[in-house]
Amino acid sequence: MAQEILNVSQLKVGVEDKEILHGVDLSLNKGETHVLMGPNGAGKSTLGYALMGNPRYEILGGKVTFNGEDLLSKNVAERSQAGLFLSFQNPIEVPGITLGNFIRSSMEQRGKKMTYFKFKKLLQEKMEFLQMDPSYAERDLNVGFSGGEKKKAEILQLLMLKPSLAILDETDSGLDVDAVRTVSAGIEEYQKNCKGSLLIITHSTKILESLTVDYTHVMVEGKIIETGDASLVDKINESGFAEYERI
Ligand code: ADP
Ligand code: MG
């Protein structure tokens, strides 16, 4: 039987005294991949940040459960320990901690302990798969990384941490064709071999080509106003969001 991993019910979120999400409903079962589309400014990233517990996003109402537990009462670290992962639209640069050490400590925080030797070997394998130069493991997190390298570093974290639900916020934006292919292969690996659940925020069909999509949601002005199957992605790419914005 399908097991629900995420349930968002009537979620209202505000930023700087302005309500952005006006009652979002979303249900996602274990192992499913959902795509979230919508025009710029609809509130897609706001949903990702609110689910991850970013303190700038104030919960004004509603309820969220993750694996049956109340999510909104947990802090960011507890949410990530519970198996939630957010890949940022614009990953931040963190001087003073290397990519490798960042991933190792994130894994330890989540109770995934292994010998340093085993960790290094696994990290190298995943970096090779993502066509990342191994020297990046020793570089400070995202500092001086190109847009594509930052996105690959996010996918590297995904493959190492194997969270139970990953929210990917425009992981494919600004990537060249080769990088899109690599990032997409990484997401496919997470979907198939880690049996991960995904909420993918995207405008592009390229990233979805090799992935199985179970549901597509359309968010307009802070609400999910339509849910359909994978074909809704193509429909939107043909006709845009104009039809929804007139509602
Ligand atoms: P999307 O990801 O769908 O393009 P966002 O969630 O980024 O949309 O933004 C939704 C609305 O919330 C926009 O009007 C945006 O200006 C506002 N907003 C989001 N984050 C912030 C923030 N940190 N500070 C001020 N306004 C914000
Ligand atoms: Mg966004």
Side-chain angles (χ1 to χ4, degrees), residues 83-242:
L84 192 59
F85 175 90
L86 172 68
S87 157
F88 297 99
Q89 190 167 357
N90 301 302
I92 49 161
E93 303 193 354
V94 188
I97 178 157
T98 65
L99 172 62
N101 283 339
F102 177 76
I103 292 177
R104 187 156 165 84
S105 66
S106 304
M107 286 173 77
E108 280 174 358
Q109 266 175 22
R110 290 171 188 234
K112 293 193 166 85
K113 294 217 166 84
M114 58 178 73
T115 62
Y116 189 65
F117 179 76
K118 202 171 161 203
F119 169 77
K120 279 295 263 192
K121 193 163 169 280
L122 195 64
L123 188 69
Q124 265 170 16
E125 270 172 31
K126 304 291 181 204
M127 289 184 86
E128 201 177 310
F129 179 77
L130 294 171
Q131 297 176 19
M132 288 179 86
D133 192 282
S135 66
Y136 276 80
E138 311 305 328
R139 285 180 55 174
D140 282 3
L141 182 62
N142 292 327
V143 177
F145 287 23
S146 71
E149 288 158 355
K150 285 180 183 171
K151 302 288 169 145
K152 284 187 183 180
E154 298 268 301
I155 301 302
L156 179 64
Q157 290 168 48
L158 180 68
L159 295 181
M160 293 294 288
L161 295 172
K162 299 184 181 178
S164 44
L165 172 65
I167 303 169
L168 306 180
D169 193 356
E170 303 206 15
T171 302
D172 47 348
S173 73
L175 299 183
D176 64 46
V177 278
D178 293 328
V180 168
R181 207 169 293 132
T182 307
V183 162
S184 175
I187 301 171
E188 188 183 5
E189 167 83 5
Y190 167 73
Q191 188 183 50
K192 304 228 164 92
N193 295 338
C194 309
K195 307 256 179 290
S197 320
L198 284 156
L199 178 62
I200 303 178
I201 301 172
T202 188
H203 293 287
S204 133
T205 45
K206 273 267 167 299
I207 200 99
L208 303 173
E209 266 167 17
S210 55
L211 302 175
T212 309
V213 173
D214 298 294
Y215 293 98
T216 305
H217 309 278
V218 181
M219 181 184 274
V220 176
E221 291 175 10
K223 278 191 135 170
I224 289 176
I225 58 163
E226 187 175 356
T227 292
D229 60 17
S231 68
L232 187 53
V233 176
D234 301 319
K235 187 185 148 212
I236 287 168
N237 277 306
E238 276 163 33
S239 23
F241 297 110

Side-chain angles (χ1 to χ4, degrees), residues 15-16 18 20 39-46 56-57:
V15 185
E16 291 169 2
K18 189 174 164 228
I20 305 290
N40 289 329
K44 305 179 299 296
S45 296
T46 298
R56 285 184 73 177
Y57 296 79

